[in-house]
Amino acid sequence: KANCQGGKGIRVLALSLWGIWEQSQRQAQYYCCLGYHTLLIASLPEGASAQNAGLLPCVRVYLSSFSLIVSHMHLIQVDSVQRWMEDLKLMTDCECMCILQSKPISIEKDEQNELILSSQYSTCNNLQLLLKRAWIISTELTRIAQKLEKNRWQRVHSMTVRVNCHVRSMINEYNTFTRSSSEEMHQLEKLLIDKCSEFTAFTERCVQTEDEQMLRSMKSCVNETLTTVAQYFGQLIELVFTHEAQNLLRQIDLSDSVYITESAINSLFSLTQEGAHLCRIIAKEGGVVALFKICRQDCFRCLYPQTLRTLASICCVEEGMHQLEKVDGILCLTDILTDNTHSEATHAEAAAVIAQITSPHLTFTQHLSSFLENMEEIVTALVKLCQEASSGEVFLLASAALANITFFDTMACEMLLQLNAMKILLAACSDKRIVDTPYSRDQVVTIMANMSVLDQCASEIIQGNGIQLLMEMLFEKSSSGNTAEVAACERVQQKSAVTLARLSRDPEVADAAVKLSCIPRLIKLCRSPTERNNSDSVLVACLAALRRLAVMSPDGLEDSDFQQLVKPRLVDSFLLCTNMEESFV
């Protein structure tokens, strides 16, 4: 079946497979030497030259559109050997097909699932495998475009053959586990396969041509074919995931079985983790409506936490917010938060949805009108959740929702003051079991900073030993060196300095800050870039706090500090502190 005859054909096939094994060993050695590595979604480089930009505009559009689908995979860091083991099956399948002139080896029906698919236990696993294959194809198409720019025709052809094989494998794999495919999908599959075959034949002719002038004339045709392949590929992937989302939502909508519904929700959640593009697809197909329908049925109470978690993921996109508004989602969330019969896990996930839809980073705010109508009940429930939180995760979700709410309405700060929220939050910070990460402290200090604009807040903070807490936050340091944690520590330092600056208009607060030696710490943060992790935002906040404290207590500064950090204009002191770093270096 591999067009081999007799012993000679068998020996050729054996030698070919031995070559594959040797190549896989070299890849293993390469990955082992590499140690930990990061898989990046390949994309055309920003700031490309005019010549580059002119050659590949369409490819850039289609590949950048598809890269949204697999954006979740662009920061996966795993052990290199483990990654090689996972990728080996995909790579060797492709190489086998290349060696056998793209003719797949037939296999028995009962062996098909074992040989073609690495994991066939659930829809979720099938889709993960499909995403991995799609990511490989997307990466290869981008690399082809890059090699085409450099006129490396031999590499372009070999990579084109590889893409051809991967596309066929992806389609075969998908058709083995999908229940049904539409006529439109079959047509797209055929178009893509035909165009890939045409692309392979085209590049083969280019490899065999030595005439430079003819190659230049063929280059635009190759580029046009590549663009078409990328277009068909993007359309097929979009259609596949739309089809899968529809199937999952149909199960959620029609099933009365808790087990089937839970499985569908878990698969849907897995899809939402693959990036904003898939969240948009799910939202457009009615995902928010279907999930809120679950949240309104008592028979599915045990599924509320995972349902709300999935909703929070979908609502990161504008389409999800529009759907939430249409189904009165905020009213449903309010009912869940204020219903004491629900579990803490359900309340925490509802708080996560509130935190998502009130994020200050969102540019779309149409939903906030209905939110304001229910804000008092929501804020009251969130404060209670913070007070009764049994774990750091629950406190983090509830406090994050409160922190976001304080950004867009000062009325929320007044509500928090009336609910003794400051006392509750400061008490929680003294419990290392509850407030145990820089992320939680970031939420608390955000609330303190936003509430500090109220005059009545100062006495609440003093009574709760809040100045001491702010002083401790000025020393916030990352223990792991993780990028996200370092950024959270910077925010904690910045916001604690901002809060001190705002509160120090009250002489009692300024006096307490001076007694706790806040001034020397602020000076050190200004003068030592490493103390603030070279953050300009922390520097500005510390300069502002230092100047406010210097007005209230001028005796606390040495003359050199006053002349350099307080007396000049803020911008001059800022430039002086940043130049200290350059001079030191």
Side-chain angles (χ1 to χ4, degrees), residues 111-135:
E111 298 175 327
Q112 188 167 358
N113 286 343
E114 180 184 356
L115 294 176
I116 291 186
L117 299 175
S118 63
S119 180
Q120 289 302 298
Y121 304 115
S122 68
T123 301
C124 178
N125 289 333
N126 293 331
L127 293 178
Q128 289 294 328
L129 181 62
L130 181 63
L131 276 167
K132 179 178 285 191
R133 182 76 78 177
W135 175 81

Side-chain angles (χ1 to χ4, degrees), residues 535-566:
S535 170
D536 289 343
S537 59
V538 174
L539 172 58
V540 172
C542 289
L543 285 170
L546 185 61
R547 287 162 180 253
R548 180 60 65 88
L549 286 173
V551 170
M552 304 303 291
S553 179
D555 298 334
L557 281 84
E558 294 182 6
D559 186 60
S560 60
D561 295 326
F562 180 81
Q563 294 296 330
Q564 294 179 347
L565 303 178
V566 176

Side-chain angles (χ1 to χ4, degrees), residues 52-333:
N52 294 349
L55 183 61
L56 301 170
C58 298
V59 179
R60 187 188 304 274
V61 170
Y62 291 117
L63 292 184
S64 61
S65 171
F66 171 71
S67 68
L68 289 172
I69 300 178
V70 289
S71 61
H72 174 261
M73 301 180 70
H74 79 300
L75 285 177
I76 302 177
Q77 292 187 341
V78 294
D79 180 74
S80 53
V81 176
Q82 178 188 344
R83 173 58 62 193
W84 170 73
M85 291 295 289
E86 291 176 359
D87 290 348
L88 182 60
K89 170 63 171 59
L90 301 177
M91 292 177 177
T92 52
D93 269 359
C94 171
E95 296 297 338
C96 284
M97 293 177 71
C98 290
I99 291 169
L100 299 176
Q101 300 178 353
S102 300
K103 297 176 182 177
I105 302 173
S106 297
I107 50 181
E108 297 300 323
K109 255 187 178 180
D110 57 331
E111 298 175 327
Q112 188 167 358
N113 286 343
E114 180 184 356
L115 294 176
I116 291 186
L117 299 175
S118 63
S119 180
Q120 289 302 298
Y121 304 115
S122 68
T123 301
C124 178
N125 289 333
N126 293 331
L127 293 178
Q128 289 294 328
L129 181 62
L130 181 63
L131 276 167
K132 179 178 285 191
R133 182 76 78 177
W135 175 81
I136 291 173
I137 294 170
S138 175
T139 303
E140 290 291 336
L141 288 175
T142 303
R143 289 175 179 169
I144 289 173
Q146 293 168 349
K147 300 302 179 187
L148 186 60
E149 279 298 289
K150 299 176 182 178
N151 295 319
R152 297 180 62 180
W153 292 104
Q154 191 65 49
R155 290 289 294 148
V156 168
H157 176 59
S158 62
M159 294 169 73
T160 302
V161 172
R162 199 153 57 234
V163 165
N164 192 353
C165 297
H166 277 307
V167 166
R168 292 170 184 271
S169 295
M170 183 189 74
I171 291 173
N172 287 336
E173 287 167 357
Y174 179 68
N175 288 332
T176 58
F177 69 75
T178 187
R179 295 192 183 94
S180 60
S181 298
S182 63
E183 183 61 32
E184 181 185 5
M185 193 177 298
H186 286 307
Q187 289 176 357
L188 261 177
E189 289 174 357
K190 186 176 185 306
L191 284 172
L192 179 58
I193 290 174
D194 291 346
K195 188 56 69 173
C196 284
S197 298
E198 178 186 330
F199 193 25
T200 304
F202 212 146
T203 57
E204 186 176 5
R205 288 200 299 273
C206 292
V207 170
Q208 295 169 354
T209 301
E210 297 182 358
D211 188 336
E212 291 294 328
Q213 185 174 357
M214 182 174 291
L215 283 174
R216 281 195 294 272
S217 65
M218 296 172 72
K219 189 172 183 178
S220 60
C221 297
V222 172
N223 179 60
E224 183 179 342
T225 308
L226 173 61
T227 301
T228 306
V229 169
Q231 177 185 358
Y232 288 158
F233 174 64
Q235 289 174 352
L236 179 61
I237 290 296
E238 176 99 5
L239 199 60
V240 164
F241 284 109
T242 300
H243 177 72
E244 292 305 315
Q246 288 170 345
N247 284 340
L248 292 172
L249 292 172
R250 194 177 300 113
Q251 289 179 39
I252 293 171
D253 196 43
L254 299 178
S255 177
D256 293 328
S257 165
V258 171
Y259 174 78
I260 293 174
T261 304
E262 181 181 20
S263 176
I265 291 172
N266 288 338
S267 296
L268 199 65
F269 176 74
S270 179
L271 280 182
T272 65
Q273 301 309 291
E274 301 300 334
H277 190 74
L278 280 173
C279 290
R280 291 190 185 95
I281 291 175
I282 294 169
K284 287 177 182 176
E285 296 302 322
V288 175
V289 177
L291 292 171
F292 268 114
K293 182 180 176 183
I294 296 294
C295 289
R296 289 186 166 102
Q297 298 180 63
D298 285 342
C299 61
F300 290 123
R301 276 197 167 214
C302 59
L303 302 182
Y304 281 11
Q306 50 262 60
T307 304
L308 291 165
R309 192 178 305 123
T310 308
L311 276 168
S313 298
I314 300 173
C315 287
C316 70
V317 297
E318 189 169 1
E319 293 82 355
M321 297 290 236
H322 289 319
Q323 292 293 317
L324 179 138
E325 182 75 7
K326 287 180 181 177
V327 297
D328 270 340
I330 290 175
L331 182 60
C332 180
L333 292 171

